[in-house]
Amino acid sequence: MRAIAKAGWLVVVTAGFASMGVSFGAEPAVVECRWATGPITIDGAADEAAWREAPVIDNFAAPWEAGGPRPAKTQTRARLLWDREYLYFFADLEDADLFAPLTEHDGRL
């Protein structure tokens, strides 16, 4: 993932989302990543005030499908924030195709 600081408060993220299937057509996706206006706790909940200000990224696609990219069958909503030390990524995903064929503890998936 590549992040570029702009205007002191905006990061434009491009390459990573293109490989994840965020699509705006033939061009790589450009999404807004806002400055975290307060501390972010890594706890699996996006309940800090800063997350409410982060734009939602929800135009994910499945570029690996035969016949070309198609919109994702299940919904994914992601948000990005950054501060002087970290780039924060929060996602709320649905995945009907999630499976794990291995049963070994800490096995390679």
Side-chain angles (χ1 to χ4, degrees):
M1 185 178 299
R2 182 173 62 123
I4 304 164
K6 282 187 141 182
W9 61 271
L10 176 70
V11 173
V12 177
V13 180
T14 57
F17 281 101
S19 65
M20 290 172 53
V22 177
S23 175
F24 295 115
E27 295 297 315
V30 175
V31 295
E32 183 178 347
C33 179
R34 293 193 181 164
W35 179 259
T37 56
I40 301 297
T41 303
I42 309 299
D43 60 1
D47 52 3
E48 291 86 0
W51 286 117
R52 288 190 289 279
E53 302 299 321
V56 174
I57 305 159
D58 61 1
N59 54 336
F60 288 86
W64 53 83
E65 293 288 329
R70 63 158 178 79
K73 291 180 182 177
T74 56
Q75 190 168 15
T76 297
R77 291 160 306 281
R79 296 173 189 259
L80 295 168
L81 291 171
W82 71 290
D83 61 21
R84 294 188 190 280
E85 296 183 55
Y86 304 106
L87 174 65
Y88 301 96
F89 176 84
F90 182 83
D92 180 16
L93 349 140
E94 298 172 8
D95 191 342
D97 300 321
L98 185 63
F99 66 94
L102 301 176
T103 58
E104 175 187 346
H105 181 71
D106 291 334
R108 292 180 58 121
L109 287 178

